[in-house]
Amino acid sequence: MTNADMPVDSECPTSTPPISATPVNPAAVDIDENEPREECGVFGVWAPSEDVAKLTYYGLYALQHRGQEAAGIAVSDGSQILVFKDLGLVSQVFDEQTLAAMPGHIAVGHCRYSTTGGVTWENAQPIFRTTAVGSGLALGHNGNLVNTAELAGRARELGLGQAVKGGRAQPAAATSDSDVVTALLAHAAADSSIEQAAMELLPTLKGAFCLTFMDEHTLYAARDPHGVRPLCLGRLDRGWVVASETAALDIVGAAFVREIEPGELLAIDAEGVRSMRFANPEPKGCVFEYVYLARPDTTIAGRSVHSTRVEIGRRLAKEHPVEADLVIPVPESGTPAAVGYAQGSGVPYGQGLMKNAYVGRTFIQPSQTIRQLGIRLKLNPLREVIRGKRLIVVDDSIVRGNTQRALIRMLRESGALEIHVRIASPPVKWPCFYGIDFASRAELIANGAGTHDSYDDMIEGVRRSIGADTLGYISTEGMIAATEQPRSRLCCACFDGDYPIALPAEAAIGKNVLEGVLTGQSEAMLLSENANASALSRP
Ligand code: SF4
């Protein structure tokens, strides 16, 4: 399905339903399937006299790394909301013609990787709902709620449809936590303003959420009380921008104003910016944003992501020194830490692997010949650099270990004498319930390798499994110190299993929880089918 197949409805009445495209569900092929999958990116703009659809397009373009399955933009011209969304990259979903047909002065945008709900057109965002009083509501969500089942139950009691009939989800139903939140918010806004409804609903959401939402007149932005995911406010000459990352502000020419506080709701309209507090802040920022998720040119809590990664590399060199000829990164996310490692160790830095910058998610199924190329689709070795060298290879993390195993084999075939792997995060041992899709516990190599008699034994098991000569991970303390944030203000749960936001019963968490709730699956069935549920069975 291309944009050309999706006519823009120019006759939308006030608060029209979203512009609809025939749902398509191509089997997306993820070339990075062994890496942690990022959550989503959100963007919002209030700017009369600006082309807000295009600003949002470029904002999402800057946030593309946070979600590559679907993209969407909602705009309001003060009397109606138009939504355009589809599966695919931002540049695949939108073209000049589509954006030109979306006039307005308020917009919210979203790029999605699914953390709750499957990869379907219905789950693409912004989600649109009409309130009982006839105004529109468009919402984008970054993060993942942990009380989705409870919220869905509440929505069902209120008779709020997710195309549920007889307790069963209909094929076209959205199955995301974000859709449930939108339904509850639209329902509550029947008796009060969206602002008041949000102030009542937001304290009942548990988990990680950065929301950008809008009606015809006002842009809203809210961040959960733990501030797990980043969200910031920027200023245009004649307007305001909210975005997941400061890099997106830079790219649309907005000046950074401040981060949206944990537990804060902002409302932005012709009266300016109003700040409301819906919960007391208990900051627990995701440390993995610093390690891998955020762009290096983003700043979180006053700390540059790039500087953090370089500092992790310096500390890694002190914690795990080794004699070698060359430090090479696994591009791109391993690059700053490799630079730091070279600085900290005095071993020269060089590029030994070239990354195809445009590889990521593709909707073209690879042929068997291409599939066998595996990692070469993404990384190609520079043989003349590698041949005859003792290499230190720096990567951001190891999840399943498949990528590193293939990479090491490829480097040896290219003539490397020794391969010493250094990892810029501690071993990932626990799943994330706050918006990052790792693997299930059983799939995480740090849980499967070695006999677990000791930490060293586990490391040795991973080393043998991936085929490295030596292996060293940064310590949790070293990683935290590099962020320059107090430990008490960070979530490190995927490394230490200490989840800062209480998790509900095992059956009610996981990516496909809502499909289960909607189809009336029993808890036992959910538990058996939900690989993430094993996270709570600590070793
Ligand atoms: S569990 Fe890991 S990835 Fe998830 S929010 Fe915490 S630190 Fe981030």
Side-chain angles (χ1 to χ4, degrees):
M1 167 69 67
T2 67
N3 286 333
D5 301 319
M6 295 181 282
V8 172
D9 181 0
S10 58
E11 297 181 354
C12 292
T14 301
S15 303
T16 52
I19 301 164
S20 62
T22 304
V24 288
N25 192 9
V29 179
D30 191 351
I31 304 300
D32 293 328
E33 63 186 358
N34 291 310
E35 319 225 328
R37 257 46 100 67
E38 297 153 64
E39 352 73 278
C40 299
V42 292
F43 189 88
V45 55
W46 185 92
S49 76
E50 290 279 358
D51 187 339
V52 292
K54 274 200 177 162
L55 274 179
T56 306
Y57 172 86
Y58 281 105
L60 294 180
Y61 200 70
L63 298 172
Q64 183 74 85
H65 61 289
R66 297 183 75 86
Q68 296 160 16
E69 288 181 353
I73 295 174
V75 295
S76 167
D77 61 3
S79 62
Q80 65 177 11
I81 293 176
L82 294 176
V83 183
F84 191 95
K85 63 182 184 179
D86 202 355
L87 301 180
L89 300 172
V90 177
S91 59
Q92 294 169 324
V93 171
F94 293 98
D95 60 15
E96 191 83 43
Q97 202 184 352
T98 311
L99 293 169
M102 301 183 77
H105 67 283
I106 312 175
V108 294
H110 189 269
C111 51
R112 179 171 196 256
Y113 172 73
S114 56
T115 48
T116 298
V119 188
T120 64
W121 183 86
E122 290 75 18
N123 282 337
Q125 300 186 23
I127 307 267
F128 181 90
R129 291 268 174 166
T130 307
T131 69
V133 292
S135 64
L137 174 66
L139 178 145
H141 172 205
N142 171 208
N144 195 57
L145 301 180
V146 297
N147 66 333
T148 303
E150 176 203 326
L151 295 169
R154 201 190 308 168
R156 200 163 42 181
E157 278 169 22
L158 291 167
L160 304 176
Q162 292 199 4
V164 180
K165 286 180 188 163
R168 300 192 67 80
Q170 300 306 296
T175 52
S176 72
D177 51 353
S178 319
D179 187 54
V180 174
V181 169
T182 313
L184 289 169
L185 191 53
H187 174 80
D191 304 320
S192 58
S193 67
I194 284 186
E195 202 165 302
Q196 286 169 320
M199 288 298 284
E200 283 167 27
L201 177 66
L202 294 174
T204 71
L205 309 183
K206 308 286 180 232
F209 58 89
C210 285
L211 304 176
T212 55
F213 52 104
M214 58 187 265
D215 60 12
E216 286 81 358
H217 311 288
T218 307
L219 170 67
Y220 300 92
R223 194 173 177 203
D224 73 74
H226 300 280
V228 177
R229 304 274 150 239
L231 188 63
C232 56
L233 174 69
R235 175 100 220 210
L236 294 164
D237 283 345
R238 285 167 297 179
W240 300 91
V241 172
V242 290
S244 292
E245 296 188 29
T246 60
L249 301 184
D250 299 337
I251 276 149
V252 300
F256 174 76
V257 175
R258 66 175 175 86
E259 294 201 347
I260 292 160
E261 294 292 320
E264 183 181 22
L265 169 68
L266 287 187
I268 303 172
D269 57 21
E271 308 298 316
V273 178
R274 292 187 300 285
S275 167
M276 290 149 277
R277 174 89 44 211
F278 65 85
N280 290 326
E282 298 174 51
K284 292 287 180 190
C286 169
V287 76
F288 216 72
E289 293 277 354
Y290 291 97
V291 169
Y292 174 80
L293 301 173
R295 287 172 59 129
D297 51 344
T298 278
T299 296
I300 303 173
R303 175 66 168 153
S304 150
V305 170
H306 178 264
S307 300
T308 301
R309 291 177 188 171
V310 173
E311 178 59 22
I312 286 176
R314 287 194 202 104
R315 290 173 177 271
L316 194 49
K318 302 296 176 214
E319 290 186 14
H320 297 287
V322 63
E323 275 194 28
D325 304 311
L326 191 66
V327 180
I328 66 167
V330 179
E332 300 291 333
S333 50
T335 302
V339 169
Y341 194 100
Q343 290 173 356
S345 64
V347 177
Y349 170 89
Q351 290 281 351
L353 294 162
M354 292 310 297
K355 180 168 185 171
N356 179 353
Y358 299 100
V359 166
R361 194 165 290 267
T362 173
F363 289 90
I364 306 296
Q365 288 287 344
S367 66
Q368 188 56 26
T369 310
I370 294 290
R371 199 179 280 281
Q372 281 166 355
L373 291 175
I375 195 169
R376 279 178 200 272
L377 272 179
K378 192 171 75 166
L379 296 169
N380 203 20
L382 290 166
R383 288 176 184 77
E384 61 280 15
V385 174
I386 289 164
R387 195 175 302 126
K389 298 270 179 29
R390 298 172 298 166
L391 299 177
I392 297 168
V393 180
V394 181
D395 205 350
D396 57 84
S397 57
I398 302 181
V399 177
R400 290 180 172 90
N402 298 339
T403 303
Q404 287 76 14
R405 195 175 301 115
L407 179 66
I408 289 166
R409 195 180 310 131
M410 186 170 73
L411 290 171
R412 291 205 194 280
E413 286 168 5
S414 301
L417 285 185
E418 295 174 11
I419 299 172
H420 305 279
V421 173
R422 297 294 179 267
I423 302 297
S425 60
V428 176
K429 299 180 79 174
W430 302 91
C432 174
F433 297 99
Y434 312 138
I436 308 301
D437 205 5
F438 291 118
S440 68
R441 277 207 73 221
E443 292 170 307
L444 294 169
I445 191 171
N447 291 324
T451 57
H452 290 271
D453 288 342
S454 67
Y455 178 84
D456 289 345
D457 181 66
M458 182 269 288
I459 299 295
E460 174 58 15
V462 176
R463 184 200 68 73
R464 262 191 277 112
S465 174
I466 64 174
D469 292 298
T470 70
L471 172 65
Y473 291 84
I474 187 79
S475 64
T476 305
E477 298 71 30
M479 173 185 67
I480 290 170
T483 68
E484 297 185 351
Q485 308 298 313
R487 170 72 183 86
S488 60
R489 294 173 73 95
L490 289 172
C491 172
C492 302
C494 47
F495 305 116
D496 61 15
D498 185 7
Y499 292 94
I501 306 171
L503 299 171
E506 295 180 7
I509 48 180
K511 179 171 172 175
N512 295 314
V513 57
L514 217 45
E515 278 90 347
V517 170
L518 293 175
T519 54
Q521 266 181 291
S522 70
E523 283 201 358
M525 277 178 70
L526 274 170
L527 187 55
S528 65
E529 291 179 8
N530 183 353
N532 276 356
S534 61
L536 295 183
S537 311
R538 300 190 180 200

